[in-house]
Amino acid sequence: MILRIEQNGETHNIDVGDVSAMSPDEKTNALHTAMTDAGLEPTNFYIILGEA
Amino acid sequence: MPLGASRLAFLAKTAAAAGGRTASTIGVFGDAQVDTARSVFGGASLLLDGTGDYLTADPGNTGDFIFAGGDPFTFEFWFNYDNDTGSASANLLSNKDTGSNDVTNFFILFRNFDTKLQVYCTSSFSIAAATGAITADTWNHVALVRNSSNNLGFFLNGSRQQYNSSITGAVGKTGEEKIGIGALTAGDIPFNQGGNGWIDEVRVSSVARYDPTLTSLTVPTSSFANDDDTLLLLHMDGSDTSTTFEDDTA
């Protein structure tokens, strides 16, 4: 799954992989790992705009 | 000239204003409507279908929704969603319009992606996954509370989820004083994308209704009554499908 993430006024497509069988906490971790890998900072404010 | 209903309503509002308060003007967008199928109190709530439905509260008194550092406040409401069909974030309550964040913004977002709440209150209090997962088809009480010592607590169903002892920044600013209920004030990120969502009993207060330094609060068990510290009070009551919402603070 690719999510559109808005951070600092810019939109980024973030590939979080297949999260269909993940628990909510696993989804959160997958998203934050993917954001970090993409150079984003998950501890700063962001909005999940939806799927790309 | 006979006194029609609108004239009587005007006189009532004027009288209320003379007593010190004017109610917020409630903007109703999309298909936002009263729904008697689900409620916490009063037999009805606000129903939003996630496609352009939301309310705005435009303060009747300048500065109602502006809180300088050291000013206490409480933002609280109940929400309920029927299913998790999308991945987007959705605004439950915020003073943001659109564009880049301002340091005076606050947000309480529901994240369909992981069914958690996200909270932001000035740039110093920003937590992406601020709660555990929230179950569908349940009512959830949410409260964001700051006291006069700048202690800020974020509570879900009576349990404190996040805390900071020094949130000194202002919340709200002149010229951008609306509050969006169910979407940002300009309509972005509506609740509940992909399904229905309900919001009930929204209250904004100029006091800390709960102690943010404690790890829990007692969730209210009856609808709120207006008092001198209430800045916005939306019971979301009325007849089914009604699109009339009124602030009960005047």
Side-chain angles (χ1 to χ4, degrees):
Chain A
M1 174 188 289
I2 297 175
L3 293 177
R4 292 184 298 118
I5 303 294
E6 180 186 296
Q7 187 170 60
N8 298 325
E10 296 183 353
T11 301
H12 308 264
N13 287 341
I14 302 297
D15 188 349
V16 295
D18 181 3
V19 299
S20 58
M22 290 185 180
S23 69
D25 286 344
E26 289 171 337
K27 287 183 177 181
T28 306
N29 291 336
L31 171 58
H32 287 180
T33 298
M35 287 178 65
T36 301
D37 290 346
L40 302 182
E41 177 49 71
T43 59
N44 291 345
F45 183 76
Y46 67 88
I47 296 177
I48 306 169
L49 297 175
E51 295 178 37
Chain B
M1 183 178 77
L3 289 177
S6 61
R7 177 66 175 161
L8 287 171
F10 171 77
L11 290 174
K13 295 282 186 185
T14 303
R21 284 207 53 78
T22 300
S24 293
T25 300
I26 306 303
V28 183
F29 298 89
D31 302 318
Q33 60 189 268
V34 172
D35 185 25
T36 58
R38 298 187 187 194
S39 73
V40 181
F41 306 120
S45 64
L46 166 65
L47 169 62
L48 306 166
D49 67 9
T51 54
D53 300 0
Y54 66 106
L55 304 183
T56 57
D58 196 353
N61 312 277
T62 301
D64 262 359
F65 303 146
I66 298 176
F67 305 92
D71 286 350
F73 58 74
T74 304
F75 298 101
E76 64 184 315
F77 58 90
W78 278 259
F79 82 99
N80 186 321
Y81 74 99
D82 68 349
N83 51 33
D84 172 27
T85 56
S87 297
S89 294
N91 181 62
L92 296 169
L93 200 71
S94 177
N95 64 356
K96 178 179 165 65
D97 48 10
T98 187
S100 300
N101 277 6
D102 188 274
V103 293
T104 65
N105 285 146
F106 83 92
F107 302 81
I108 300 171
L109 306 180
F110 175 70
R111 299 153 53 108
N112 280 85
F113 174 68
D114 51 13
T115 66
K116 298 178 180 180
L117 293 182
Q118 180 170 351
V119 64
Y120 177 100
C121 185
T122 81
S123 57
S124 300
F125 194 82
S126 178
I127 301 103
T131 68
I134 295 170
T135 306
D137 300 316
T138 60
W139 281 105
N140 301 278
H141 177 251
V142 178
L144 181 65
V145 188
R146 183 170 76 177
N147 65 16
S148 58
S149 299
N150 292 313
N151 303 128
L152 184 70
F154 183 61
F155 295 84
L156 173 66
N157 296 325
S159 177
R160 195 178 68 186
Q161 307 291 306
Q162 305 294 335
Y163 174 72
N164 189 302
S165 63
S166 183
I167 298 299
T168 60
V171 174
K173 67 179 182 182
T174 302
E176 295 181 16
E177 298 184 49
K178 285 185 182 178
I179 288 181
I181 302 148
L184 301 183
T185 61
D188 294 337
I189 53 172
F191 176 65
N192 172 38
Q193 298 174 57
N196 287 328
W198 293 261
I199 297 176
D200 204 359
E201 205 70 7
V202 175
R203 180 170 70 172
V204 178
S205 305
S206 59
V207 294
R209 297 282 184 184
Y210 316 99
D211 186 345
T213 68
L214 300 180
T215 58
S216 65
L217 60 77
T218 300
V219 176
T221 56
S222 59
S223 61
F224 299 131
N226 183 32
D227 61 22
D228 290 344
D229 301 314
T230 305
L231 301 174
L232 176 68
L233 180 56
L234 290 166
H235 297 299
M236 311 297 189
D237 293 337
S239 58
D240 199 33
T241 73
S242 169
T243 57
T244 299
F245 296 89
E246 292 189 343
D247 173 19
D248 193 28
T249 60

